[in-house]
Amino acid sequence: MTLCDLSLAEARDGLRRRDFTSTDITTDCLDAIAALNPKLNAFVTVTAERALEQAAQADRRLAAGETAPLLGVPLAIKDLFCTEGVRTTAGSRILGPFVPPYESTVTANLLRDGAVFLGKTNMDEFAMGSSNMTSAYGPVVNPWTRHGDNAQLVPGGSSGGSSAAVAARLAPGATATDTGGSIRQPASFCGIAGIKPTYGRCSRWGIVAFASSLDQAGPMGRTVRDCAIMLASMAGHDPKDSTSADIPVPDFEAACGRGVKGLRIGVPREYRSDGMSPEIEAMWQHGLAWLREQGATLVDVSLPHTKYALATYYIVAPAEASSNLARYDGVRFGLRQDGSDLQELYENTRAAGFGAEVRRRVLIGTYVLSAGYYDAYYLRAQKLRALILRDFTEAFEKVDALVTPTAPTAAFAMGEKMDDPVTMYLNDVFTVPANMAGIPGLSVPAGLDSAGLPLGLQVLGKPFDEETVFAVGAAIERAAAFATLPSLRAGVAL
Ligand code: GLN
């Protein structure tokens, strides 16, 4: 047991009690990173020196009796958040040499609250993916393995570096982003918690944009409470992002203890998809029974447009991505490949800088936005998006929250689902509807499958009602009493 085995809440409280210093816990995390990152590849950049400077500063503040919500707590930062003076790659070659001259609002908020940054975590290129296999910096290894089988598994994606780092106890918490499931699916695959808050809860300023109408930042932690603590610091109105909501940030941590007595929990029948494994179905039923035992009422609800959500997402997200990624032209940011004229410079830079999945999305996005096809694809997708939101709005007239599985499978092996992009896209079937509707969604570890891999349950809530989401998530967490260590930390060689 080292200090990096502590939960974020325990670390915060221990620092406040002066049981140990920020330098102690930061050093333990950096040692764990040095020992395990060569196996996991969870970090693209480790900022050890800077972390120790920040820790020393936090220690001076703690010694002077100062308090701040995260004073001295070490965190890992997804490499999609711009960090001033620290390379930010977005998992792409095209941003390989990019050192932002500014700090994203979310990371600035965490620094304001006293956090220490250990480094930048690996991710699918521009957050496009569900396995971390599209990173230009190599795949991330999931610290979990199946019983009796040492095949390397993916950590999920796109925030796979953050989820692997938190699960392997390299950091007590990490930032992440979720456009179609990138916080919740990797949280489920790695046996940790993660929440995508309501669209607008966290500022998007300084986060490398993928699909601006869907992107949201959120935390990953080993407990629901840890996520609540982090989100309170990350969230808040920001005049620099016109879509950030001017709504007060409630006490999320207190909400974790509220319980579910008297709550109405919706069970959407459309999430019972044909291909769902019986083990995931069983885990879902367990989760629902735990909530009923704690005083909630279960209500059958219907979200009839769920079946269109994935197709709609894979039009809207690439459309926005193709526009957002137009700025990577070799002139303003990162990589430049010269050509005989400007046009050739653009082409050479983009050909050398973007990987296959990113190119596929740019092609799809450009196609669905082109003059002849805009009405047939993009406009129809926008109409469906309104219907998906209406389904949720109607359901939330009857229930306080919804509970579903997070992902249709447990973590899969590297190389699996790689032949056909649509097979990979199916991972997002349960997570994308929340992005299309802008509502909050949390994944909480609920148990293990027969191979010993973690499975997550998803709690969806009303817009800006993360408090109920945390209350329901914490209730599932209490009943599940999920305490198994990932194989790597339980002494199994990867
Ligand atoms: N897996 C989804 C995609 O590839 C979602 C990614 C995300 O949420 N950033 O687009």
Side-chain angles (χ1 to χ4, degrees):
M1 161 105 193
T2 67
L3 293 172
C4 44
D5 289 304
L6 298 176
S7 72
L8 190 147
E10 289 165 345
R12 176 197 62 181
D13 297 344
L15 285 162
R16 282 187 187 164
R17 282 194 308 266
R18 318 267 304 276
D19 292 348
F20 46 84
T21 66
S22 177
T23 304
D24 293 335
I25 185 167
T26 301
T27 304
D28 274 3
C29 290
L30 291 170
D31 288 350
I33 293 168
L36 296 177
N37 199 51
K39 274 189 185 142
L40 298 176
N41 198 26
F43 284 82
V44 174
T45 305
V46 180
T47 51
E49 222 171 279
R50 188 181 275 246
L52 289 170
E53 277 165 27
Q54 289 172 340
Q57 201 198 339
D59 285 333
R60 284 192 290 275
R61 291 174 63 190
L62 283 159
E66 269 185 62
T67 50
L70 293 170
L71 194 49
V73 175
L75 297 175
I77 305 298
K78 185 177 182 179
D79 212 11
L80 201 62
F81 292 81
C82 286
T83 39
E84 189 179 348
V86 175
R87 184 169 84 129
T88 298
T89 69
S92 183
R93 245 189 316 277
I94 212 157
L95 281 176
F98 176 55
V99 178
Y102 51 80
E103 190 74 33
S104 82
T105 298
V106 163
T107 48
N109 290 348
L110 291 167
L111 292 171
R112 172 204 65 205
D113 284 354
V116 169
F117 292 170
L118 298 164
K120 307 295 294 288
T121 56
N122 204 345
M123 52 178 284
D124 280 301
E125 186 175 7
F126 283 105
M128 298 172 188
S130 305
S131 63
N132 236 279
M133 298 296 286
T134 75
S135 170
Y137 302 91
V140 175
V141 176
N142 191 325
W144 293 82
T145 48
R146 298 177 183 127
H147 285 323
D149 171 0
N150 57 9
Q152 292 192 328
L153 306 180
V154 304
S158 65
S159 315
S162 287
S163 64
V166 172
R169 279 123 174 101
L170 306 185
T175 66
T177 61
D178 189 312
T179 303
S182 278
I183 291 177
R184 293 159 286 158
Q185 184 255 20
S188 178
F189 278 21
C190 290
I192 63 167
I195 182 170
K196 178 199 90 72
T198 311
Y199 183 79
R201 182 61 97 179
C202 290
S203 169
R204 289 182 295 106
W205 196 80
I207 299 173
V208 176
F210 165 10
S212 306
S213 77
L214 303 162
D215 298 343
Q216 240 323 273
M220 291 178 143
R222 289 193 294 272
T223 69
V224 173
R225 177 176 299 269
D226 289 357
C227 291
I229 294 168
M230 269 185 81
L231 182 60
S233 287
M234 295 167 71
H237 179 235
D238 177 13
K240 288 189 288 212
D241 171 6
S242 60
T243 63
S244 120
D246 193 359
I247 291 182
V249 179
D251 186 344
F252 294 132
E253 190 178 1
C256 296
R258 274 187 190 174
V260 293
K261 213 175 166 83
L263 287 187
R264 295 170 65 80
I265 303 293
V267 188
R269 67 178 80 105
E270 289 78 9
Y271 280 62
R272 206 155 262 128
S273 76
D274 292 344
M276 199 197 313
S277 90
E279 288 194 90
I280 291 192
E281 168 76 36
M283 189 58 70
W284 189 13
Q285 295 311 320
H286 282 308
L288 295 171
W290 293 330
L291 293 171
R292 199 172 39 220
E293 282 156 21
Q294 294 181 58
T297 310
L298 303 181
V299 183
D300 196 24
V301 297
S302 172
L303 302 167
H305 296 92
T306 299
K307 58 177 177 291
Y308 302 116
L310 199 62
T312 309
Y313 171 83
Y314 277 99
I315 291 172
V316 173
E320 294 185 20
S322 70
S323 308
N324 273 325
L325 270 54
R327 67 184 63 132
Y328 304 105
D329 54 10
V331 178
R332 287 163 294 180
F333 308 94
L335 185 79
R336 172 178 300 178
Q337 296 275 306
D338 280 327
S340 58
D341 59 15
L342 188 61
Q343 186 67 32
E344 214 179 275
L345 178 144
Y346 292 159
E347 287 172 8
N348 289 349
T349 301
R350 288 169 70 85
F354 289 145
E357 184 60 29
V358 172
R359 285 187 227 174
R360 181 178 297 123
R361 306 269 182 130
V362 170
L363 284 172
I364 295 171
T366 309
Y367 178 79
V368 300
L369 289 175
S370 61
Y373 297 99
Y374 184 92
D375 290 0
Y377 294 105
Y378 185 70
L379 210 61
R380 286 180 84 190
Q382 292 291 33
K383 287 180 183 164
L384 270 164
R385 189 170 177 183
L387 295 174
I388 292 164
L389 172 59
R390 197 173 70 188
D391 283 356
F392 281 113
T393 309
E394 285 173 7
F396 285 128
E397 282 164 14
K398 288 179 273 184
V399 298
D400 301 295
L402 301 161
V403 172
T404 77
T406 304
T409 66
F412 46 88
M414 285 188 187
E416 270 172 38
K417 304 189 197 246
M418 302 292 159
D419 310 336
D420 168 17
V422 176
T423 317
M424 189 64 82
Y425 297 169
L426 285 170
N427 265 287
D428 309 326
V429 64
F430 299 144
T431 48
V432 293
N435 301 78
M436 299 308 282
I439 62 171
L442 170 114
S443 181
V444 53
L448 301 176
D449 70 5
S450 55
L453 295 183
L455 297 175
L457 288 176
Q458 175 177 238
V459 184
L460 301 172
K462 297 176 188 172
F464 296 103
D465 187 18
E466 286 88 357
E467 288 168 282
T468 301
V469 172
F470 280 124
V472 175
I476 295 174
E477 183 180 56
R478 268 193 298 278
F482 184 88
T484 322
L485 280 169
S487 328
L488 178 67
R489 294 312 298 254
V492 177
L494 288 196

